[in-house]
Amino acid sequence: MATGGGSAPSNTVSSSKTLLKSQALYKYVLDTTVLPNEPECMRELRLLTEKHNRAVMATPPDEAPLLRMLIKLTGARNSIEVGVFTGYSLLATALALPDDGRVVAIDTNPEYYELGRPFLEKAGVAGKVDFRAGRALDRLDELLADDEASNNLGRFDFAFVDADKPSYAAYHERLLRLVRVGGVIVYDNTLWDGTVALPPDAPQLSDFDRRISAAIRDLNARLAADDRVEVCQLTIADGVTICRRIV
């Protein structure tokens, strides 16, 4: 997963967080269906984010249309986003939600969120966002423990998770209580640059990738065996897993 560096023209993408082995094919996908339909506010935020020294954390542009499509197909009005960074996926979500829609956005670093907030305001969707700084497990537990918890249980239609990978399994248990039956939970980076298919002792793995890959493999096994959800694994971006709550 390459980090972005410097500014890029509006019709190019400096990062290549994709499992496609052909950069020419990835460019074709971007140039044909993604970038021509990218809202101007999202393009501007993407270009700003590509200059950030942690740009690799951003949702890639070919994943954002998937999130927007899922929100519209499910008729979602209330959403949760765990892991915001500068807010490219958050902006995609806010644009896709109806006028009375709301998204609770959680991130440990409010400074990253503040970088993207002007683009939410420019797009006229900042009012849909309820940003909550702090550890995601703490913020999710607060939603569950709220005095009006009965209103939070099953209140959300959609959730997108792109945060601390070893905590994904813990997020899942909490989100299954917050997202309604028939609602959708989406997990990002669930193939971790393809390393989930490598032996745990593969010499090319760094200690960090070995730890994250193990956490992701554990998550994928848990999701596949979880009879409370229907699961669909996509190879878009760095791996995206869609869970539909059925119980």
Side-chain angles (χ1 to χ4, degrees):
M1 296 182 291
T3 56
S7 60
S10 61
N11 62 343
T12 65
V13 176
S14 63
S15 64
S16 55
K17 193 192 298 185
T18 177
L19 293 168
L20 291 175
K21 297 306 179 185
S22 167
Q23 286 299 310
L25 180 56
Y26 184 55
K27 184 177 185 301
Y28 171 81
V29 171
L30 293 176
D31 291 346
T32 303
T33 62
V34 177
L35 299 184
N37 297 303
E38 184 182 44
E40 180 67 14
C41 56
M42 291 186 62
R43 182 189 71 86
E44 293 175 352
L45 177 54
R46 171 172 58 81
L47 294 180
L48 174 72
T49 303
E50 286 177 355
K51 301 175 185 177
H52 199 283
N53 61 4
R54 304 197 71 180
V56 71
M57 297 198 311
T59 299
D62 54 322
E63 187 175 345
L66 172 65
L67 299 178
R68 294 171 64 194
M69 181 72 75
L70 288 171
I71 288 169
K72 292 177 180 179
L73 286 174
T74 57
R77 293 179 60 250
N78 294 297
S79 178
I80 300 175
E81 180 151 335
V82 180
V84 174
F85 190 39
T86 62
Y88 185 75
S89 58
L90 178 61
L91 179 54
T93 294
L95 287 169
L97 290 171
D99 291 343
D100 61 346
R102 296 291 182 271
V103 52
V104 174
I106 302 169
D107 200 284
T108 57
N109 193 325
E111 293 181 4
Y112 291 159
Y113 168 71
E114 289 298 324
L115 289 174
R117 189 162 64 89
F119 299 92
L120 291 163
E121 294 172 347
K122 182 178 180 180
V125 295
K128 297 181 183 180
V129 177
D130 175 6
F131 179 76
R132 304 189 182 192
R135 292 179 66 251
L137 289 176
D138 293 340
R139 299 291 86 81
L140 292 173
D141 284 342
E142 287 172 0
L143 285 172
L144 291 168
D146 190 276
D147 290 339
E148 297 178 354
S150 59
N151 290 330
N152 284 333
L153 296 178
R155 180 169 73 88
F156 296 91
D157 310 294
F158 186 85
F160 177 58
V161 181
D162 183 9
D164 178 45
K165 313 311 174 192
S167 297
Y168 271 23
Y171 298 152
H172 184 66
E173 293 304 317
R174 289 156 174 80
L175 290 170
L176 278 178
R177 298 174 63 192
L178 293 166
V179 173
R180 64 174 172 81
V181 172
V184 170
I185 307 170
V186 178
Y187 294 99
D188 200 15
N189 303 116
T190 53
L191 295 177
W192 199 249
D193 202 27
T195 61
V196 291
L198 296 177
D201 59 351
Q204 63 266 48
L205 289 177
S206 67
D207 290 342
F208 174 76
D209 281 333
R210 203 180 313 278
R211 181 173 67 88
I212 300 302
S213 182
I216 292 296
R217 281 197 302 272
D218 176 69
L219 171 78
N220 291 339
R222 288 172 182 266
L223 295 180
D226 192 339
D227 59 9
R228 299 168 296 178
V229 294
E230 292 178 335
V231 180
C232 178
Q233 172 75 70
L234 302 179
T235 54
I236 190 173
D238 191 32
V240 174
T241 300
I242 304 171
C243 300
R244 176 177 175 267
R245 183 185 168 192
I246 58 176
V247 175

